[in-house]
Amino acid sequence: MILPISFHYIKPQLCVITTIFFFATTVLSSNPKFKACTPKSCGNGPSIKYPFWISHEQESFCGYPNFEITCMDKSPILRTPSYDFLVKDISYSNSSFTVTNMAAYEDNCPVPLYNYTFHQTPFTYSSENWNLSFFYNCTTEPLDHPTYKVDCAKNASHYSFAVFHKEALEHKNYSLNECQFMVNAPFSMNASVNFTDLLRMNYIEILKMGFLLNWTAHCEY
Ligand SMILES: *[C@@H]1O[C@H](CO)[C@@H](O)[C@H](O)[C@H]1NC(C)=O
Ligand SMILES: *[C@@H]1O[C@H](CO)[C@@H](O)[C@H](O)[C@H]1NC(C)=O
Ligand SMILES: *[C@@H]1O[C@H](CO)[C@@H](O)[C@H](O)[C@H]1NC(C)=O
Ligand SMILES: *[C@@H]1O[C@H](CO)[C@@H](O)[C@H](O)[C@H]1NC(C)=O
Ligand SMILES: *[C@@H]1O[C@H](CO)[C@@H](O)[C@H](O)[C@H]1NC(C)=O
Ligand SMILES: *[C@@H]1O[C@H](CO)[C@@H](O)[C@H](O)[C@H]1NC(C)=O
Ligand SMILES: *[C@@H]1O[C@H](CO)[C@@H](O)[C@H](O)[C@H]1NC(C)=O
Ligand SMILES: *[C@@H]1O[C@H](CO)[C@@H](O)[C@H](O)[C@H]1NC(C)=O
Ligand SMILES: *[C@@H]1O[C@H](CO)[C@@H](O)[C@H](O)[C@H]1NC(C)=O
């Protein structure tokens, strides 16, 4: 197995070269050749810089492939196979960023129909996130349990709703078998929201707060 060994051998070198390159871009930023990677924004939202980069506006060597940002209507968007996410905030110092599913802004019925997947990316859910669980096309509505109404996804005989603790529902003998499917949507409470507020909000407002992702050490992508 010569190939995998040489592959692993080469990776650290690439990493060192990249690191030197980005050091050089910082030091030599007065040189027009290195202007390609100066931090930029889409118009709205955070400043975009390494390891992120803006396609069509910055060179791909300014960041890593998974960190490609697309500007849409002046907003920074992270595209994934399942959903497009609005990048609301990036904290470069602690390697984390806040994103919101664009569906929360655009769709007539802005509900998540798939679980978000970030495997095979450098991104992981921060431990600060909570889940709002969406249940679709259920034959009954849970009694005695606070739920968020998702009326746009119901019909005459089937209900859809969202809850914070799906385990608590199961405790009350509500069986998830009554529903066609469920999806977990992560969210994190922004600084101006407390639990009391959370119960008064609707599910769209909760989704719009977004959730936190971390990215991990650069040389492993
Ligand atoms: C990350 O840093 C920002 C500001 O630098 C701070 O507001 C935020 O709470 C930090 N996030 C975490 C998860 O530590
Ligand atoms: C994400 O970052 C936060 C704050 O820096 C930290 O508490 C948490 O453990 C990190 N999560 C992962 C999965 O790395
Ligand atoms: C939210 O749900 C996902 C699975 O869809 C799970 O991996 C994650 O641990 C859950 N987070 C919390 C805080 O329960
Ligand atoms: C619920 O079922 C109806 C009828 O089969 C379908 O049109 C609708 O898309 C389903 N709802 C969801 C959220 O999948
Ligand atoms: C409502 O949706 C369910 C689940 O998909 C479907 O079986 C049922 O036929 C629908 N009923 C009406 C009245 O559309
Ligand atoms: C749930 O069902 C079990 C078994 O039928 C029963 O023992 C239990 O009291 C029920 N719990 C509630 C909260 O109704
Ligand atoms: C989403 O994830 C949850 C928990 O991992 C799982 O029970 C559920 O079936 C998933 N939903 C879909 C639509 O794949
Ligand atoms: C939650 O925040 C609201 C204002 O947004 C405030 O009126 C209320 O007292 C707060 N509740 C708690 C329990 O801190
Ligand atoms: C917090 O989230 C609420 C609900 O989505 C939003 O109205 C508010 O503007 C957000 N605040 C900040 C500081 O992002």
Side-chain angles (χ1 to χ4, degrees):
M1 292 292 279
I2 286 168
L3 191 63
I5 289 168
S6 57
F7 180 69
H8 280 291
Y9 187 66
I10 272 172
K11 259 179 143 182
Q13 289 179 333
L14 273 178
C15 186
V16 169
I17 290 165
T18 322
T19 308
I20 290 171
F21 176 80
F22 282 102
F23 177 71
T25 56
T26 317
V27 171
L28 302 174
S29 56
S30 56
N31 182 330
K33 194 179 166 190
F34 292 96
K35 284 255 164 77
C37 296
T38 50
K40 254 190 184 162
S41 88
C42 286
N44 299 324
S47 170
I48 307 296
K49 61 184 185 188
Y50 174 84
F52 293 91
W53 59 285
I54 305 178
S55 53
H56 306 303
E57 302 210 19
Q58 293 174 326
E59 301 291 340
S60 58
F61 59 67
C62 297
Y64 284 99
N66 281 307
F67 292 82
E68 178 177 351
I69 298 292
T70 307
C71 292
M72 288 165 71
D73 296 332
K74 298 196 170 177
S75 294
I77 308 295
L78 179 78
R79 315 200 74 167
T80 74
S82 52
Y83 284 111
D84 287 351
F85 293 96
L86 171 69
V87 178
K88 298 178 78 172
D89 193 24
I90 303 176
S91 171
Y92 292 97
S93 58
N94 51 27
S95 302
S96 66
F97 62 120
T98 306
V99 299
T100 298
N101 187 345
M102 281 301 283
Y105 294 98
E106 289 176 339
D107 291 356
N108 289 333
C109 188
V111 293
L113 296 177
Y114 320 100
N115 289 310
Y116 311 155
T117 56
F118 294 100
H119 40 76
Q120 294 183 333
T121 76
F123 309 133
T124 50
Y125 285 132
S126 161
S127 49
E128 288 183 25
N129 294 326
W130 304 75
N131 277 328
L132 186 59
S133 303
F134 287 81
F135 294 91
Y136 296 113
N137 278 344
C138 309
T139 48
T140 62
E141 259 181 322
L143 300 169
D144 305 328
H145 193 76
T147 61
Y148 290 91
K149 290 191 178 310
V150 185
D151 284 347
C152 62
K154 77 171 189 185
N155 70 13
S157 59
H158 285 66
Y159 307 92
S160 296
F161 59 90
V163 294
F164 287 131
H165 297 292
K166 66 175 164 61
E167 299 77 15
L169 258 190
E170 285 157 351
H171 260 271
K172 293 187 176 169
N173 286 345
Y174 186 83
S175 167
L176 308 183
N177 295 335
E178 312 209 23
C179 307
Q180 273 178 0
F181 66 105
M182 67 86 55
V183 166
N184 285 328
F187 70 94
S188 72
M189 281 195 273
N190 71 26
S192 56
V193 168
N194 60 34
F195 282 104
T196 315
D197 299 330
L198 210 55
L199 296 173
R200 287 202 205 101
M201 291 160 75
N202 63 43
Y203 75 93
I204 302 172
E205 291 170 314
I206 293 172
L207 292 178
K208 280 184 178 171
M209 286 194 292
F211 59 98
L212 258 178
L213 291 172
N214 293 6
W215 70 85
T216 45
H218 297 161
C219 299
E220 287 160 21
Y221 308 148

Coordinates of all heavy atoms in Angstrom, one line a residue, residues 46 69 72 75-80 82-90 97-107 110-112 116 118 125 129 185-190 201 203-213:
P46 N -20.7 39.3 8.0 CA -19.3 39.4 8.5 C -18.3 39.5 7.5 O -18.5 39.2 6.3 CB -19.2 38.0 9.3 CG -20.1 37.1 8.6 CD -21.3 37.9 8.2
I69 N -17.8 30.5 0.3 CA -18.9 31.4 0.5 C -19.4 31.9 -0.8 O -18.6 32.4 -1.6 CB -18.6 32.6 1.5 CG1 -18.1 32.0 2.8 CG2 -19.7 33.5 1.6 CD1 -19.2 31.4 3.7
M72 N -25.1 36.0 -2.3 CA -26.4 36.1 -2.9 C -27.1 37.3 -2.4 O -27.4 37.4 -1.2 CB -27.2 34.8 -2.7 CG -26.6 33.6 -3.5 SD -27.2 32.0 -2.9 CE -28.9 32.1 -3.5
S75 N -25.7 38.8 0.6 CA -25.6 38.0 1.8 C -24.7 36.8 1.6 O -24.7 36.2 0.6 CB -27.0 37.5 2.2 OG -27.8 38.5 2.6
P76 N -23.9 36.5 2.7 CA -22.9 35.4 2.5 C -23.7 34.0 2.8 O -24.3 33.8 3.8 CB -21.9 35.6 3.6 CG -22.6 36.5 4.6 CD -23.7 37.2 3.9
I77 N -23.5 33.1 1.8 CA -24.2 31.8 1.8 C -23.2 30.7 1.8 O -22.3 30.7 1.0 CB -25.2 31.7 0.6 CG1 -26.1 32.9 0.5 CG2 -26.0 30.4 0.7 CD1 -27.1 33.1 1.6
L78 N -23.4 29.7 2.7 CA -22.7 28.5 2.7 C -23.6 27.4 2.1 O -24.7 27.2 2.6 CB -22.3 28.1 4.1 CG -21.5 26.8 4.3 CD1 -20.0 27.0 3.9 CD2 -21.6 26.3 5.7
R79 N -23.2 26.9 0.9 CA -24.0 25.9 0.3 C -23.7 24.5 0.7 O -22.5 24.2 0.8 CB -23.9 26.1 -1.3 CG -23.9 27.5 -1.7 CD -24.2 27.7 -3.1 NE -25.6 27.4 -3.3 CZ -26.3 27.7 -4.5 NH1 -25.7 28.2 -5.5 NH2 -27.6 27.4 -4.5
T80 N -24.7 23.7 1.0 CA -24.5 22.3 1.2 C -25.4 21.5 0.4 O -26.4 22.0 -0.2 CB -24.7 21.9 2.7 OG1 -26.1 21.9 3.0 CG2 -24.0 22.9 3.7
S82 N -27.8 19.5 1.1 CA -29.2 19.6 1.5 C -29.8 21.0 1.5 O -30.9 21.2 1.1 CB -29.4 18.9 2.9 OG -28.5 19.4 3.8
Y83 N -29.1 22.0 2.1 CA -29.6 23.3 2.2 C -28.6 24.4 2.0 O -27.4 24.1 2.2 CB -30.2 23.5 3.7 CG -31.5 22.8 3.9 CD1 -31.6 21.7 4.8 CD2 -32.6 23.2 3.3 CE1 -32.8 21.0 5.0 CE2 -33.9 22.6 3.5 CZ -33.9 21.5 4.4 OH -35.1 20.9 4.6
D84 N -29.0 25.6 1.7 CA -28.2 26.8 1.7 C -28.3 27.4 3.1 O -29.4 27.5 3.6 CB -28.6 27.8 0.7 CG -28.3 27.3 -0.8 OD1 -27.5 26.3 -0.9 OD2 -28.7 27.9 -1.7
F85 N -27.2 27.9 3.7 CA -27.2 28.5 5.0 C -26.7 29.9 4.9 O -25.6 30.2 4.3 CB -26.4 27.7 6.0 CG -26.9 26.3 6.3 CD1 -26.5 25.2 5.6 CD2 -27.9 26.2 7.2 CE1 -27.0 23.9 5.8 CE2 -28.5 24.9 7.5 CZ -28.0 23.8 6.8
L86 N -27.4 30.8 5.5 CA -27.0 32.2 5.7 C -25.9 32.3 6.8 O -26.2 31.8 7.9 CB -28.2 33.1 6.0 CG -27.9 34.5 6.4 CD1 -27.3 35.3 5.2 CD2 -29.1 35.2 6.9
V87 N -24.8 32.8 6.5 CA -23.7 32.9 7.5 C -24.0 34.3 8.2 O -23.8 35.3 7.7 CB -22.3 32.9 6.9 CG1 -21.3 33.1 7.9 CG2 -22.1 31.6 6.1
K88 N -24.4 34.2 9.5 CA -24.8 35.5 10.2 C -23.6 36.1 10.9 O -23.5 37.3 11.0 CB -25.9 35.2 11.2 CG -27.2 34.6 10.6 CD -28.2 34.3 11.7 CE -28.9 35.6 12.2 NZ -30.0 35.2 13.1
D89 N -22.7 35.2 11.4 CA -21.6 35.7 12.2 C -20.5 34.7 12.2 O -20.7 33.5 12.1 CB -22.1 35.9 13.6 CG -21.2 36.7 14.5 OD1 -20.4 37.5 13.9 OD2 -21.2 36.5 15.7
I90 N -19.2 35.2 12.1 CA -18.1 34.3 12.2 C -17.2 34.8 13.3 O -16.8 35.9 13.4 CB -17.3 34.3 10.9 CG1 -18.1 33.9 9.7 CG2 -16.1 33.3 11.0 CD1 -17.4 34.0 8.3
F97 N -19.0 29.6 14.0 CA -19.8 30.6 13.2 C -21.3 30.2 13.3 O -21.6 29.1 13.6 CB -19.3 30.7 11.7 CG -19.4 29.4 10.9 CD1 -20.2 29.4 9.8 CD2 -18.6 28.3 11.2 CE1 -20.2 28.2 9.0 CE2 -18.7 27.2 10.5 CZ -19.5 27.1 9.3
T98 N -22.1 31.2 13.1 CA -23.6 31.0 13.3 C -24.2 31.1 11.9 O -23.9 32.0 11.1 CB -24.2 32.2 14.1 OG1 -23.5 32.2 15.4 CG2 -25.6 31.9 14.4
V99 N -25.0 30.1 11.6 CA -25.7 30.0 10.3 C -27.2 29.8 10.5 O -27.6 29.2 11.6 CB -25.2 28.9 9.4 CG1 -23.7 29.1 9.1 CG2 -25.4 27.5 10.1
T100 N -28.0 30.2 9.5 CA -29.4 30.0 9.5 C -29.8 29.3 8.2 O -29.3 29.8 7.2 CB -30.2 31.3 9.7 OG1 -29.9 31.9 10.9 CG2 -31.7 31.1 9.6
N101 N -30.7 28.3 8.3 CA -31.2 27.7 7.1 C -31.9 28.8 6.3 O -32.9 29.4 6.7 CB -32.1 26.6 7.5 CG -32.6 25.8 6.3 OD1 -32.5 26.2 5.1 ND2 -33.1 24.6 6.5
M102 N -31.6 29.0 5.0 CA -32.2 30.0 4.2 C -33.7 29.7 4.0 O -34.5 30.6 3.7 CB -31.5 30.0 2.8 CG -30.2 30.8 2.8 SD -30.5 32.5 3.3 CE -31.2 33.2 1.8
A103 N -34.1 28.5 4.1 CA -35.5 28.1 4.0 C -36.3 28.9 5.0 O -37.5 29.2 4.7 CB -35.7 26.6 4.2
A104 N -35.8 29.3 6.1 CA -36.5 30.0 7.1 C -36.9 31.4 6.6 O -37.9 32.0 7.1 CB -35.8 30.1 8.4
Y105 N -36.2 31.9 5.6 CA -36.5 33.2 5.1 C -37.3 33.2 3.8 O -38.0 34.1 3.5 CB -35.2 34.0 4.8 CG -34.4 34.3 6.0 CD1 -33.3 33.4 6.4 CD2 -34.7 35.4 6.8 CE1 -32.6 33.7 7.5 CE2 -33.9 35.7 7.9 CZ -32.9 34.8 8.3 OH -32.2 35.1 9.4
E106 N -37.2 32.1 3.1 CA -37.6 32.1 1.7 C -38.9 31.3 1.4 O -39.7 31.7 0.6 CB -36.5 31.5 0.8 CG -35.4 32.4 0.6 CD -34.2 31.9 -0.2 OE1 -34.2 30.6 -0.3 OE2 -33.4 32.6 -0.7
D107 N -39.1 30.2 2.1 CA -40.2 29.3 1.7 C -41.5 29.7 2.2 O -41.7 30.4 3.2 CB -39.9 27.9 2.2 CG -38.7 27.3 1.4 OD1 -38.2 27.9 0.5 OD2 -38.3 26.1 1.8
P110 N -41.8 27.3 5.8 CA -40.4 27.3 6.0 C -40.0 26.2 7.1 O -39.5 26.5 8.1 CB -40.0 28.7 6.5 CG -41.3 29.2 7.1 CD -42.5 28.5 6.5
V111 N -40.3 25.0 6.8 CA -39.9 23.9 7.7 C -38.8 23.1 7.2 O -38.7 22.9 5.9 CB -41.2 23.0 8.0 CG1 -42.2 23.7 8.7 CG2 -41.7 22.4 6.7
P112 N -38.0 22.5 8.0 CA -36.9 21.6 7.6 C -37.5 20.2 7.3 O -38.1 19.7 8.1 CB -35.9 21.6 8.8 CG -36.7 21.9 10.0 CD -37.9 22.8 9.5
Y116 N -30.0 18.3 8.8 CA -28.8 18.9 8.2 C -27.6 17.9 8.4 O -27.5 17.3 9.4 CB -28.4 20.2 8.9 CG -29.6 21.2 9.1 CD1 -29.5 22.1 10.1 CD2 -30.7 21.1 8.3 CE1 -30.6 23.0 10.3 CE2 -31.7 22.0 8.5 CZ -31.7 22.9 9.5 OH -32.7 23.8 9.7
F118 N -23.5 17.5 8.2 CA -22.2 18.1 8.1 C -21.1 17.1 8.1 O -19.9 17.4 8.3 CB -22.0 19.2 9.1 CG -22.9 20.4 8.9 CD1 -24.1 20.5 9.7 CD2 -22.7 21.3 8.0 CE1 -24.9 21.5 9.5 CE2 -23.6 22.4 7.8 CZ -24.7 22.5 8.5
Y125 N -21.4 20.4 15.2 CA -22.3 21.2 16.0 C -21.6 21.6 17.3 O -21.0 20.8 18.0 CB -23.5 20.3 16.4 CG -24.5 20.1 15.3 CD1 -25.0 18.8 15.0 CD2 -25.0 21.1 14.5 CE1 -25.9 18.6 14.0 CE2 -25.9 20.9 13.5 CZ -26.4 19.7 13.2 OH -27.3 19.4 12.3
N129 N -25.8 24.3 21.1 CA -27.1 24.2 20.3 C -28.1 23.3 21.0 O -27.8 22.4 21.8 CB -26.8 23.5 18.9 CG -26.0 24.4 18.0 OD1 -26.1 25.6 18.1 ND2 -25.2 23.7 17.2
A185 N -34.0 20.1 14.1 CA -33.4 21.3 13.6 C -32.6 22.0 14.8 O -33.3 22.4 15.8 CB -34.4 22.3 13.0
P186 N -31.3 22.2 14.7 CA -30.6 22.8 15.8 C -30.8 24.3 15.8 O -31.1 24.9 14.8 CB -29.1 22.5 15.4 CG -29.1 22.3 14.0 CD -30.4 21.8 13.6
F187 N -30.8 24.9 17.0 CA -30.8 26.3 17.1 C -30.0 26.7 18.4 O -29.8 25.9 19.2 CB -32.2 26.9 17.2 CG -32.9 26.5 18.6 CD1 -32.9 27.4 19.6 CD2 -33.6 25.3 18.7 CE1 -33.5 27.1 20.8 CE2 -34.2 25.0 19.9 CZ -34.1 25.9 21.0
S188 N -29.5 27.9 18.4 CA -28.9 28.4 19.6 C -29.5 29.7 20.0 O -29.9 30.5 19.1 CB -27.4 28.6 19.4 OG -27.1 29.7 18.6
M189 N -29.7 30.0 21.3 CA -30.4 31.2 21.7 C -29.4 32.4 21.6 O -28.3 32.3 22.2 CB -30.8 31.0 23.2 CG -32.1 30.2 23.3 SD -32.8 30.4 24.9 CE -31.9 29.1 25.7
N190 N -29.8 33.4 20.9 CA -29.0 34.6 20.8 C -29.1 35.3 22.1 O -29.9 35.1 22.9 CB -29.3 35.4 19.6 CG -30.6 36.2 19.6 OD1 -31.1 36.5 20.7 ND2 -31.1 36.5 18.5
M201 N -42.2 32.7 21.3 CA -41.8 32.8 19.8 C -42.5 31.7 19.0 O -43.0 30.8 19.6 CB -40.3 32.7 19.7 CG -39.5 33.8 20.3 SD -37.8 33.4 20.6 CE -37.1 33.5 19.0
Y203 N -42.1 29.0 15.6 CA -40.9 28.2 15.2 C -40.1 28.9 14.1 O -38.9 28.6 14.1 CB -41.4 26.8 14.7 CG -42.1 26.8 13.3 CD1 -41.3 26.6 12.2 CD2 -43.4 27.1 13.2 CE1 -41.9 26.6 10.9 CE2 -44.0 27.2 11.9 CZ -43.3 26.9 10.8 OH -43.9 27.0 9.6
I204 N -40.7 29.8 13.4 CA -39.9 30.5 12.4 C -38.9 31.4 13.0 O -37.7 31.5 12.7 CB -40.8 31.3 11.4 CG1 -41.7 30.3 10.7 CG2 -39.9 32.0 10.3 CD1 -42.8 31.0 9.8
E205 N -39.3 32.1 14.1 CA -38.4 33.0 14.8 C -37.3 32.2 15.5 O -36.2 32.7 15.5 CB -39.2 33.8 15.9 CG -40.2 34.8 15.3 CD -41.1 35.4 16.4 OE1 -41.7 34.6 17.2 OE2 -41.3 36.6 16.4
I206 N -37.6 31.0 15.9 CA -36.6 30.2 16.6 C -35.6 29.7 15.5 O -34.4 29.8 15.7 CB -37.2 29.0 17.3 CG1 -38.0 29.5 18.5 CG2 -36.2 28.0 17.7 CD1 -38.9 28.4 19.2
L207 N -36.1 29.3 14.3 CA -35.1 28.9 13.3 C -34.2 30.0 12.8 O -33.1 29.8 12.5 CB -35.9 28.3 12.1 CG -36.6 27.0 12.3 CD1 -37.4 26.6 11.0 CD2 -35.7 25.9 12.7
K208 N -34.8 31.2 12.8 CA -34.0 32.4 12.3 C -32.9 32.8 13.3 O -32.0 33.5 12.9 CB -35.0 33.6 12.1 CG -35.7 33.5 10.8 CD -36.6 34.7 10.6 CE -37.3 34.7 9.3 NZ -38.3 35.7 9.1
M209 N -32.9 32.3 14.5 CA -31.8 32.6 15.4 C -30.5 31.9 14.9 O -29.4 32.3 15.2 CB -32.1 32.2 16.8 CG -33.1 33.1 17.5 SD -33.1 32.8 19.3 CE -33.8 31.2 19.4
G210 N -30.7 30.8 14.2 CA -29.6 30.1 13.7 C -28.9 29.2 14.7 O -29.4 29.0 15.8
F211 N -27.8 28.5 14.3 CA -27.1 27.6 15.2 C -25.6 27.8 15.0 O -25.2 28.3 14.0 CB -27.6 26.2 15.1 CG -27.4 25.6 13.7 CD1 -26.4 24.9 13.3 CD2 -28.4 25.9 12.7 CE1 -26.2 24.4 12.1 CE2 -28.2 25.4 11.4 CZ -27.1 24.6 11.1
L212 N -24.9 27.2 16.0 CA -23.4 27.4 16.0 C -22.7 26.2 15.4 O -23.0 25.1 15.8 CB -23.0 27.6 17.4 CG -22.6 29.0 17.9 CD1 -22.2 28.9 19.4 CD2 -21.5 29.6 17.2
L213 N -21.8 26.4 14.6 CA -20.9 25.3 14.1 C -19.5 25.7 14.5 O -19.1 26.9 14.5 CB -21.0 25.2 12.6 CG -22.3 24.7 12.0 CD1 -22.3 24.8 10.5 CD2 -22.5 23.2 12.4

